[in-house]
mmCIF file of all heavy atoms in Angstrom:
data_model
loop_
_atom_site.group_PDB
_atom_site.id
_atom_site.type_symbol
_atom_site.label_atom_id
_atom_site.label_comp_id
_atom_site.label_asym_id
_atom_site.label_seq_id
_atom_site.Cartn_x
_atom_site.Cartn_y
_atom_site.Cartn_z
ATOM 1 N N VAL H 245 0.981 16.369 -18.576
ATOM 2 C CA VAL H 245 0.793 17.696 -17.925
ATOM 3 C C VAL H 245 1.382 17.721 -16.554
ATOM 4 O O VAL H 245 2.074 18.666 -16.166
ATOM 5 C CB VAL H 245 -0.757 17.989 -17.882
ATOM 6 C CG1 VAL H 245 -1.036 19.240 -17.061
ATOM 7 C CG2 VAL H 245 -1.339 18.125 -19.289
ATOM 8 N N GLN H 246 1.190 16.659 -15.843
ATOM 9 C CA GLN H 246 1.727 16.592 -14.437
ATOM 10 C C GLN H 246 3.275 16.583 -14.463
ATOM 11 O O GLN H 246 3.870 17.266 -13.606
ATOM 12 C CB GLN H 246 1.204 15.357 -13.708
ATOM 13 C CG GLN H 246 -0.299 15.413 -13.411
ATOM 14 C CD GLN H 246 -0.672 16.506 -12.412
ATOM 15 O OE1 GLN H 246 0.138 17.282 -11.941
ATOM 16 N NE2 GLN H 246 -1.973 16.573 -12.075
ATOM 17 N N ILE H 247 3.855 15.890 -15.415
ATOM 18 C CA ILE H 247 5.347 15.891 -15.493
ATOM 19 C C ILE H 247 5.833 17.300 -15.853
ATOM 20 O O ILE H 247 6.742 17.858 -15.218
ATOM 21 C CB ILE H 247 5.871 14.838 -16.494
ATOM 22 C CG1 ILE H 247 5.569 13.418 -15.956
ATOM 23 C CG2 ILE H 247 7.362 14.998 -16.741
ATOM 24 C CD1 ILE H 247 5.882 12.291 -16.943
ATOM 25 N N ALA H 248 5.175 17.881 -16.867
ATOM 26 C CA ALA H 248 5.611 19.229 -17.320
ATOM 27 C C ALA H 248 5.503 20.248 -16.186
ATOM 28 O O ALA H 248 6.218 21.258 -16.167
ATOM 29 C CB ALA H 248 4.762 19.660 -18.523
ATOM 30 N N ASN H 249 4.570 20.033 -15.275
ATOM 31 C CA ASN H 249 4.329 20.991 -14.177
ATOM 32 C C ASN H 249 4.894 20.527 -12.803
ATOM 33 O O ASN H 249 4.490 21.074 -11.808
ATOM 34 C CB ASN H 249 2.850 21.309 -14.069
ATOM 35 C CG ASN H 249 2.347 22.125 -15.259
ATOM 36 O OD1 ASN H 249 2.552 23.340 -15.295
ATOM 37 N ND2 ASN H 249 1.823 21.460 -16.252
ATOM 38 N N ALA H 250 5.743 19.508 -12.850
ATOM 39 C CA ALA H 250 6.317 18.984 -11.607
ATOM 40 C C ALA H 250 5.275 18.756 -10.512
ATOM 41 O O ALA H 250 5.434 19.201 -9.375
ATOM 42 C CB ALA H 250 7.424 19.908 -11.115
ATOM 43 N N SER H 251 4.191 18.102 -10.840
ATOM 44 C CA SER H 251 3.074 17.771 -9.983
ATOM 45 C C SER H 251 2.322 19.006 -9.456
ATOM 46 O O SER H 251 1.533 18.919 -8.523
ATOM 47 C CB SER H 251 3.495 16.974 -8.719
ATOM 48 O OG SER H 251 4.240 15.869 -9.059
ATOM 49 N N MET H 252 2.574 20.179 -10.101
ATOM 50 C CA MET H 252 1.913 21.390 -9.603
ATOM 51 C C MET H 252 1.137 22.118 -10.672
ATOM 52 O O MET H 252 1.172 23.351 -10.769
ATOM 53 C CB MET H 252 2.949 22.293 -8.936
ATOM 54 C CG MET H 252 3.376 21.726 -7.598
ATOM 55 S SD MET H 252 4.049 22.926 -6.511
ATOM 56 C CE MET H 252 5.784 22.691 -6.853
ATOM 57 N N TYR H 253 0.405 21.345 -11.498
ATOM 58 C CA TYR H 253 -0.478 21.988 -12.477
ATOM 59 C C TYR H 253 -1.539 22.774 -11.705
ATOM 60 O O TYR H 253 -1.908 23.891 -12.031
ATOM 61 C CB TYR H 253 -1.147 20.934 -13.368
ATOM 62 C CG TYR H 253 -2.182 21.523 -14.271
ATOM 63 C CD1 TYR H 253 -1.803 22.217 -15.420
ATOM 64 C CD2 TYR H 253 -3.538 21.444 -13.961
ATOM 65 C CE1 TYR H 253 -2.745 22.798 -16.238
ATOM 66 C CE2 TYR H 253 -4.502 22.023 -14.791
ATOM 67 C CZ TYR H 253 -4.091 22.691 -15.908
ATOM 68 O OH TYR H 253 -5.049 23.280 -16.722
ATOM 69 N N ASN H 254 -2.059 22.122 -10.627
ATOM 70 C CA ASN H 254 -2.914 22.865 -9.676
ATOM 71 C C ASN H 254 -2.276 22.711 -8.281
ATOM 72 O O ASN H 254 -1.184 22.171 -8.152
ATOM 73 C CB ASN H 254 -4.361 22.375 -9.753
ATOM 74 C CG ASN H 254 -4.520 20.957 -9.303
ATOM 75 O OD1 ASN H 254 -3.641 20.158 -9.491
ATOM 76 N ND2 ASN H 254 -5.679 20.653 -8.743
ATOM 77 N N THR H 255 -2.978 23.126 -7.277
ATOM 78 C CA THR H 255 -2.417 23.107 -5.918
ATOM 79 C C THR H 255 -2.278 21.642 -5.457
ATOM 80 O O THR H 255 -3.300 20.941 -5.389
ATOM 81 C CB THR H 255 -3.311 23.870 -4.920
ATOM 82 O OG1 THR H 255 -3.752 25.061 -5.564
ATOM 83 C CG2 THR H 255 -2.564 24.190 -3.647
ATOM 84 N N PRO H 256 -1.105 21.196 -5.185
ATOM 85 C CA PRO H 256 -0.964 19.794 -4.703
ATOM 86 C C PRO H 256 -1.412 19.677 -3.262
ATOM 87 O O PRO H 256 -1.558 20.687 -2.579
ATOM 88 C CB PRO H 256 0.531 19.513 -4.866
ATOM 89 C CG PRO H 256 1.171 20.853 -4.803
ATOM 90 C CD PRO H 256 0.192 21.888 -5.261
ATOM 91 N N PRO H 257 -1.623 18.431 -2.751
ATOM 92 C CA PRO H 257 -2.013 18.290 -1.350
ATOM 93 C C PRO H 257 -0.768 18.554 -0.472
ATOM 94 O O PRO H 257 -0.053 17.629 -0.101
ATOM 95 C CB PRO H 257 -2.477 16.835 -1.258
ATOM 96 C CG PRO H 257 -1.816 16.141 -2.412
ATOM 97 C CD PRO H 257 -1.495 17.151 -3.463
ATOM 98 N N THR H 258 -0.521 19.826 -0.221
ATOM 99 C CA THR H 258 0.767 20.235 0.326
ATOM 100 C C THR H 258 1.037 19.585 1.709
ATOM 101 O O THR H 258 2.158 19.155 1.950
ATOM 102 C CB THR H 258 0.835 21.764 0.486
ATOM 103 O OG1 THR H 258 -0.355 22.219 1.174
ATOM 104 C CG2 THR H 258 0.920 22.470 -0.855
ATOM 105 N N PHE H 259 0.031 19.484 2.561
ATOM 106 C CA PHE H 259 0.287 18.942 3.886
ATOM 107 C C PHE H 259 0.654 17.460 3.770
ATOM 108 O O PHE H 259 1.541 16.968 4.459
ATOM 109 C CB PHE H 259 -0.902 19.177 4.822
ATOM 110 C CG PHE H 259 -0.546 19.004 6.259
ATOM 111 C CD1 PHE H 259 0.163 19.992 6.956
ATOM 112 C CD2 PHE H 259 -0.871 17.818 6.949
ATOM 113 C CE1 PHE H 259 0.522 19.797 8.298
ATOM 114 C CE2 PHE H 259 -0.514 17.654 8.265
ATOM 115 C CZ PHE H 259 0.187 18.643 8.938
ATOM 116 N N SER H 260 -0.030 16.730 2.895
ATOM 117 C CA SER H 260 0.257 15.304 2.736
ATOM 118 C C SER H 260 1.633 15.087 2.128
ATOM 119 O O SER H 260 2.353 14.144 2.486
ATOM 120 C CB SER H 260 -0.758 14.656 1.806
ATOM 121 O OG SER H 260 -2.042 14.699 2.402
ATOM 122 N N VAL H 261 2.084 16.005 1.252
ATOM 123 C CA VAL H 261 3.432 15.895 0.673
ATOM 124 C C VAL H 261 4.464 16.144 1.799
ATOM 125 O O VAL H 261 5.486 15.445 1.897
ATOM 126 C CB VAL H 261 3.640 16.905 -0.465
ATOM 127 C CG1 VAL H 261 5.095 16.912 -0.961
ATOM 128 C CG2 VAL H 261 2.699 16.586 -1.655
ATOM 129 N N TYR H 262 4.131 17.102 2.658
ATOM 130 C CA TYR H 262 5.045 17.395 3.801
ATOM 131 C C TYR H 262 5.195 16.190 4.717
ATOM 132 O O TYR H 262 6.294 15.807 5.102
ATOM 133 C CB TYR H 262 4.442 18.593 4.517
ATOM 134 C CG TYR H 262 4.826 18.842 5.970
ATOM 135 C CD1 TYR H 262 6.092 19.358 6.273
ATOM 136 C CD2 TYR H 262 3.915 18.612 6.981
ATOM 137 C CE1 TYR H 262 6.426 19.637 7.608
ATOM 138 C CE2 TYR H 262 4.256 18.903 8.309
ATOM 139 C CZ TYR H 262 5.518 19.399 8.620
ATOM 140 O OH TYR H 262 5.854 19.665 9.921
ATOM 141 N N ILE H 263 4.070 15.511 5.003
ATOM 142 C CA ILE H 263 4.132 14.313 5.851
ATOM 143 C C ILE H 263 4.913 13.195 5.102
ATOM 144 O O ILE H 263 5.729 12.488 5.731
ATOM 145 C CB ILE H 263 2.723 13.806 6.242
ATOM 146 C CG1 ILE H 263 1.899 14.894 6.932
ATOM 147 C CG2 ILE H 263 2.811 12.519 7.082
ATOM 148 C CD1 ILE H 263 2.306 15.212 8.355
ATOM 149 N N ALA H 264 4.672 13.068 3.815
ATOM 150 C CA ALA H 264 5.376 12.038 3.030
ATOM 151 C C ALA H 264 6.883 12.289 3.117
ATOM 152 O O ALA H 264 7.687 11.360 3.302
ATOM 153 C CB ALA H 264 4.903 12.033 1.588
ATOM 154 N N ASN H 265 7.281 13.558 3.017
ATOM 155 C CA ASN H 265 8.682 13.895 3.107
ATOM 156 C C ASN H 265 9.264 13.417 4.459
ATOM 157 O O ASN H 265 10.322 12.814 4.507
ATOM 158 C CB ASN H 265 8.834 15.438 2.943
ATOM 159 C CG ASN H 265 10.259 15.892 3.028
ATOM 160 O OD1 ASN H 265 11.198 15.129 2.771
ATOM 161 N ND2 ASN H 265 10.452 17.142 3.404
ATOM 162 N N LYS H 266 8.515 13.683 5.521
ATOM 163 C CA LYS H 266 8.937 13.263 6.844
ATOM 164 C C LYS H 266 9.064 11.727 6.918
ATOM 165 O O LYS H 266 9.971 11.171 7.528
ATOM 166 C CB LYS H 266 7.966 13.707 7.953
ATOM 167 C CG LYS H 266 7.763 15.188 8.034
ATOM 168 C CD LYS H 266 8.485 15.721 9.247
ATOM 169 C CE LYS H 266 8.383 17.222 9.351
ATOM 170 N NZ LYS H 266 9.691 17.912 9.393
ATOM 171 N N MET H 267 8.094 11.061 6.332
ATOM 172 C CA MET H 267 8.064 9.595 6.399
ATOM 173 C C MET H 267 9.196 8.970 5.563
ATOM 174 O O MET H 267 9.782 7.955 5.975
ATOM 175 C CB MET H 267 6.688 9.044 5.953
ATOM 176 C CG MET H 267 5.640 9.132 7.014
ATOM 177 S SD MET H 267 6.065 8.260 8.582
ATOM 178 C CE MET H 267 6.095 6.563 8.001
ATOM 179 N N PHE H 268 9.481 9.578 4.405
ATOM 180 C CA PHE H 268 10.584 9.022 3.603
ATOM 181 C C PHE H 268 11.901 9.185 4.351
ATOM 182 O O PHE H 268 12.742 8.247 4.387
ATOM 183 C CB PHE H 268 10.699 9.751 2.239
ATOM 184 C CG PHE H 268 9.510 9.546 1.344
ATOM 185 C CD1 PHE H 268 9.183 10.444 0.333
ATOM 186 C CD2 PHE H 268 8.666 8.401 1.490
ATOM 187 C CE1 PHE H 268 8.109 10.248 -0.514
ATOM 188 C CE2 PHE H 268 7.549 8.223 0.653
ATOM 189 C CZ PHE H 268 7.289 9.151 -0.331
ATOM 190 N N ASN H 269 12.028 10.320 5.002
ATOM 191 C CA ASN H 269 13.235 10.601 5.780
ATOM 192 C C ASN H 269 13.325 9.638 6.972
ATOM 193 O O ASN H 269 14.405 9.099 7.231
ATOM 194 C CB ASN H 269 13.143 12.050 6.259
ATOM 195 C CG ASN H 269 14.463 12.523 6.791
ATOM 196 O OD1 ASN H 269 14.732 12.306 7.969
ATOM 197 N ND2 ASN H 269 15.278 13.114 5.946
ATOM 198 N N TRP H 270 12.219 9.424 7.595
ATOM 199 C CA TRP H 270 12.160 8.450 8.733
ATOM 200 C C TRP H 270 12.572 7.051 8.233
ATOM 201 O O TRP H 270 13.368 6.342 8.862
ATOM 202 C CB TRP H 270 10.770 8.423 9.340
ATOM 203 C CG TRP H 270 10.568 7.419 10.426
ATOM 204 C CD1 TRP H 270 10.876 7.595 11.770
ATOM 205 C CD2 TRP H 270 10.054 6.061 10.293
ATOM 206 N NE1 TRP H 270 10.576 6.417 12.436
ATOM 207 C CE2 TRP H 270 10.076 5.484 11.582
ATOM 208 C CE3 TRP H 270 9.582 5.323 9.223
ATOM 209 C CZ2 TRP H 270 9.623 4.165 11.828
ATOM 210 C CZ3 TRP H 270 9.130 4.029 9.457
ATOM 211 C CH2 TRP H 270 9.133 3.477 10.730
ATOM 212 N N THR H 271 12.048 6.667 7.069
ATOM 213 C CA THR H 271 12.319 5.329 6.511
ATOM 214 C C THR H 271 13.829 5.205 6.224
ATOM 215 O O THR H 271 14.427 4.189 6.535
ATOM 216 C CB THR H 271 11.523 5.136 5.188
ATOM 217 O OG1 THR H 271 10.156 5.411 5.475
ATOM 218 C CG2 THR H 271 11.660 3.742 4.646
ATOM 219 N N LYS H 272 14.438 6.276 5.737
ATOM 220 C CA LYS H 272 15.868 6.244 5.479
ATOM 221 C C LYS H 272 16.624 6.073 6.791
ATOM 222 O O LYS H 272 17.535 5.292 6.899
ATOM 223 C CB LYS H 272 16.305 7.562 4.815
ATOM 224 C CG LYS H 272 16.229 7.510 3.302
ATOM 225 C CD LYS H 272 16.489 8.835 2.613
ATOM 226 C CE LYS H 272 17.771 9.509 3.013
ATOM 227 N NZ LYS H 272 17.930 10.850 2.349
ATOM 228 N N ARG H 273 16.186 6.818 7.795
ATOM 229 C CA ARG H 273 16.877 6.764 9.100
ATOM 230 C C ARG H 273 16.745 5.376 9.772
ATOM 231 O O ARG H 273 17.557 4.978 10.572
ATOM 232 C CB ARG H 273 16.393 7.858 10.043
ATOM 233 C CG ARG H 273 17.034 9.211 9.672
ATOM 234 C CD ARG H 273 16.668 10.310 10.646
ATOM 235 N NE ARG H 273 15.349 10.849 10.353
ATOM 236 C CZ ARG H 273 14.301 10.769 11.143
ATOM 237 N NH1 ARG H 273 14.358 10.158 12.307
ATOM 238 N NH2 ARG H 273 13.145 11.306 10.786
ATOM 239 N N GLN H 274 15.688 4.663 9.443
ATOM 240 C CA GLN H 274 15.507 3.305 10.003
ATOM 241 C C GLN H 274 16.424 2.302 9.355
ATOM 242 O O GLN H 274 16.503 1.145 9.764
ATOM 243 C CB GLN H 274 14.049 2.805 9.829
ATOM 244 C CG GLN H 274 12.979 3.616 10.454
ATOM 245 C CD GLN H 274 13.226 3.892 11.914
ATOM 246 O OE1 GLN H 274 13.293 2.963 12.713
ATOM 247 N NE2 GLN H 274 13.394 5.147 12.287
ATOM 248 N N GLY H 275 17.079 2.713 8.273
ATOM 249 C CA GLY H 275 17.961 1.801 7.565
ATOM 250 C C GLY H 275 17.433 1.440 6.179
ATOM 251 O O GLY H 275 17.894 0.484 5.562
ATOM 252 N N GLY H 276 16.416 2.205 5.726
ATOM 253 C CA GLY H 276 15.901 2.012 4.370
ATOM 254 C C GLY H 276 15.124 0.699 4.220
ATOM 255 O O GLY H 276 14.648 0.110 5.170
ATOM 256 N N LEU H 277 14.960 0.300 2.960
ATOM 257 C CA LEU H 277 14.056 -0.797 2.669
ATOM 258 C C LEU H 277 14.565 -2.134 3.162
ATOM 259 O O LEU H 277 13.756 -3.056 3.443
ATOM 260 C CB LEU H 277 13.775 -0.865 1.151
ATOM 261 C CG LEU H 277 13.132 0.413 0.588
ATOM 262 C CD1 LEU H 277 12.578 0.163 -0.810
ATOM 263 C CD2 LEU H 277 11.998 0.902 1.518
ATOM 264 N N LYS H 278 15.883 -2.250 3.319
ATOM 265 C CA LYS H 278 16.433 -3.513 3.826
ATOM 266 C C LYS H 278 15.912 -3.733 5.275
ATOM 267 O O LYS H 278 15.446 -4.827 5.618
ATOM 268 C CB LYS H 278 17.960 -3.422 3.814
ATOM 269 C CG LYS H 278 18.629 -4.755 3.821
ATOM 270 C CD LYS H 278 20.093 -4.673 3.559
ATOM 271 C CE LYS H 278 20.692 -5.966 4.027
ATOM 272 N NZ LYS H 278 22.001 -5.813 4.603
#
Side-chain angles (χ1 to χ4, degrees):
V245 173
Q246 292 292 3
I247 292 173
N249 290 278
S251 309
M252 286 202 265
Y253 174 78
N254 65 329
T255 319
T258 51
F259 197 77
S260 297
V261 173
Y262 160 73
I263 304 287
N265 181 24
K266 299 255 176 238
M267 281 302 294
F268 296 156
N269 193 274
W270 176 86
T271 308
K272 271 173 53 182
R273 282 185 279 116
Q274 300 308 298
L277 299 194
K278 201 169 162 215

